[in-house]
Amino acid sequence: MVNWSPNPVAVKKRSPWVQVVGHAGNFQMGSDGRLLKKFCECEQQCFLQLMSDSLQPFVPGYYGVTQRDEQDYNLMDDLLADFDSPCIMDCKMGSRTYLEEELEKARECPQPRKDMYEKMIAVDPNAPTMDERARQAVLKTRYMQWRETLSSTATLGFRIEGIKKSDGTCNTNFKRTKYKDEVIQTLEDFVDNNMLILRSYLQRLKELRGVLEKSDFFKAHEVVGSSLLFVHDLTGKAGIWMIDFGKTVPLPPPLTLDHRSPWVEGNREDGYLWGLDNFIDILTNILPEK
Ligand SMILES: Nc1ncnc2c1ncn2[C@@H]1O[C@H](COP(=O)(O)OP(=O)(O)OP(=O)(O)O)[C@@H](O)[C@H]1O
Ligand SMILES: O=P(O)(O)O[C@@H]1[C@H](O)[C@H](O)[C@@H](OP(=O)(O)O)[C@H](OP(=O)(O)O)[C@H]1O
């Protein structure tokens, strides 16, 4: 006997998860629209607190720790799961991309890195100092600071890390995307000049800013190296979520941050909201008034 339905429900084909930037091998696809990210205790602690913070709608749902092939993973929502052939952009937020504790460690026990020297000269052979050239190595904090000033991190408080379009093209070559007009051009290309999508993103960023300004979690954490993941598809659906809490650390009470004041070593300020303000201003200026 053949069963048929007069109103067949279209089975939605889920697009496979894709990683835009970040450490290779950190993720595994889970089932039911979930994602496994290699366990990091710092990130686990953040997720646990975020699930009962006002920021919860702006982060992937978190489902605890799971094991696969003897490796522990944090289990979270795949933010792409409800999109159809999504376009994805990863923007690293904040004016500083290394923790104050990394700076202290580098001073106490300097460990120059050859891999970072190689990455540096691949972008600019003239960037290393004489000393770095002699060692063929650079300190991680020095590399990170160099990346900050080369890109828009130091001047705008955020930088574009990578973009994957729905046609499958992926671009992670934004190390030198520094000036406002370069950022604008990249954003317009990301949305294929669709101003309705940009307007949705602007609305979501404003909502996020409002929630961040009130969040207990945000006040009490130094948020470094965290990204905003922008996702939209051809249906016009668009969303933005905070991801990557591997370097989001609690502050010693009663210290809190306003996330806008300039960083001076010791004050732990990360420039997150300063960057978000700049992002919102940029979008506001390119969108025609309604
Ligand atoms: N919850 C999620 N849903 C969908 N995609 C995600 C999610 N989390 C991360 N990704 C994808 O993986 C990429 C890397 O994520 P993330 O920054 O968390 O990894 P990482 O290895 O910690 O990165 P980093 O090298 O900056 O430390 C993102 O750019 C995004 O493409
Ligand atoms: O983007 P690039 O130029 O490749 O540089 C990497 C990037 O800054 C990552 O955020 C950082 O990881 P963390 O944020 O986790 O520190 C990584 O450090 P690592 O090599 O020590 O992992 C850098 O190599």
Side-chain angles (χ1 to χ4, degrees):
M1 196 174 85
V2 178
N3 284 323
W4 64 278
S5 155
N7 294 309
V9 181
V11 179
K12 204 173 142 211
K13 208 173 121 246
R14 181 170 283 163
S15 309
W17 175 76
V18 286
Q19 179 175 353
V20 182
V21 289
H23 293 92
N26 255 2
F27 290 89
Q28 299 258 349
M29 267 185 83
S31 52
D32 301 327
R34 290 182 183 175
L35 204 58
L36 291 76
K37 181 176 177 184
K38 266 199 189 142
F39 181 75
C40 156
E41 195 184 347
C42 173
E43 192 155 40
Q44 175 201 36
Q45 290 309 311
C46 290
F47 271 123
L48 288 172
Q49 290 181 52
L50 283 163
M51 287 305 101
S52 50
D53 189 84
S54 51
L55 276 173
Q56 184 263 325
F58 292 89
V59 298
Y62 177 67
Y63 306 97
V65 181
T66 189
Q67 261 206 346
R68 193 180 274 184
D69 300 329
E70 294 177 19
Q71 165 72 49
D72 284 344
Y73 291 90
N74 280 316
L75 187 61
M76 67 185 83
D77 276 329
D78 170 4
L79 298 166
L80 312 183
D82 292 331
F83 289 85
D84 201 2
S85 303
C87 294
I88 315 155
M89 174 170 73
D90 181 306
C91 282
K92 196 168 271 201
M93 299 303 292
S95 54
R96 180 162 53 88
T97 56
Y98 53 91
L99 287 164
E100 283 203 9
E101 67 189 42
E102 291 183 271
L103 201 56
E104 281 160 30
K105 226 180 271 170
R107 251 186 238 123
E108 280 163 21
C109 174
Q111 288 181 323
R113 298 216 354 211
K114 288 196 182 299
D115 61 328
M116 288 190 157
Y117 178 85
E118 294 301 329
K119 285 203 281 188
M120 190 182 243
I121 57 168
V123 177
D124 180 1
N126 297 316
T129 62
M130 295 250 286
D131 183 52
E132 288 163 349
R133 219 180 295 276
R135 288 172 196 269
Q136 304 267 296
V138 295
L139 291 175
K140 177 167 175 175
T141 43
R142 150 83 170 125
Y143 174 80
M144 301 294 259
Q145 284 164 354
W146 168 76
R147 288 272 277 117
E148 288 166 11
T149 50
L150 195 70
S151 67
S152 56
T153 292
T155 48
L156 294 174
F158 70 87
R159 71 172 178 238
I160 295 167
E161 288 275 284
I163 287 179
K164 197 229 141 237
K165 304 266 294 265
S166 55
D167 60 9
T169 54
C170 190
N171 186 355
T172 54
N173 188 18
F174 296 107
K175 285 196 172 74
R176 283 180 179 278
T177 303
K178 176 175 182 145
Y179 299 105
K180 247 181 218 178
D181 54 341
E182 294 165 336
V183 170
I184 291 170
Q185 211 180 333
T186 307
L187 292 176
E188 287 176 343
D189 179 64
F190 171 54
V191 299
D192 285 325
N193 289 305
N194 184 332
M195 294 298 132
L196 287 175
I197 303 265
L198 274 193
R199 209 172 275 290
S200 300
Y201 279 142
L202 175 59
Q203 183 59 30
R204 177 90 171 157
L205 287 178
K206 285 182 175 170
E207 284 163 20
L208 171 63
R209 178 167 63 182
V211 176
L212 283 169
E213 283 172 334
K214 294 201 176 79
S215 157
D216 292 330
F217 174 89
F218 194 57
K219 241 183 256 146
H221 284 77
E222 180 185 358
V223 183
V224 166
S226 177
S227 288
L228 287 179
L229 197 68
F230 292 65
V231 190
H232 67 268
D233 64 20
L234 296 174
T235 69
K237 190 162 147 174
I240 301 174
W241 292 269
M242 294 172 78
I243 57 162
D244 196 357
F245 303 102
K247 295 205 296 188
T248 292
V249 295
L251 300 162
L255 183 64
T256 57
L257 302 183
D258 62 32
H259 301 275
R260 284 192 173 97
S261 300
W263 176 59
V264 184
E265 196 177 347
N267 77 0
R268 313 274 298 257
E269 287 291 350
D270 53 36
Y272 193 111
L273 279 180
W274 174 61
L276 190 53
D277 290 339
N278 286 329
F279 209 124
I280 288 174
D281 287 350
I282 287 173
L283 282 187
T284 305
N285 288 333
I286 56 177
L287 281 165
E289 275 182 40
K290 272 208 271 194

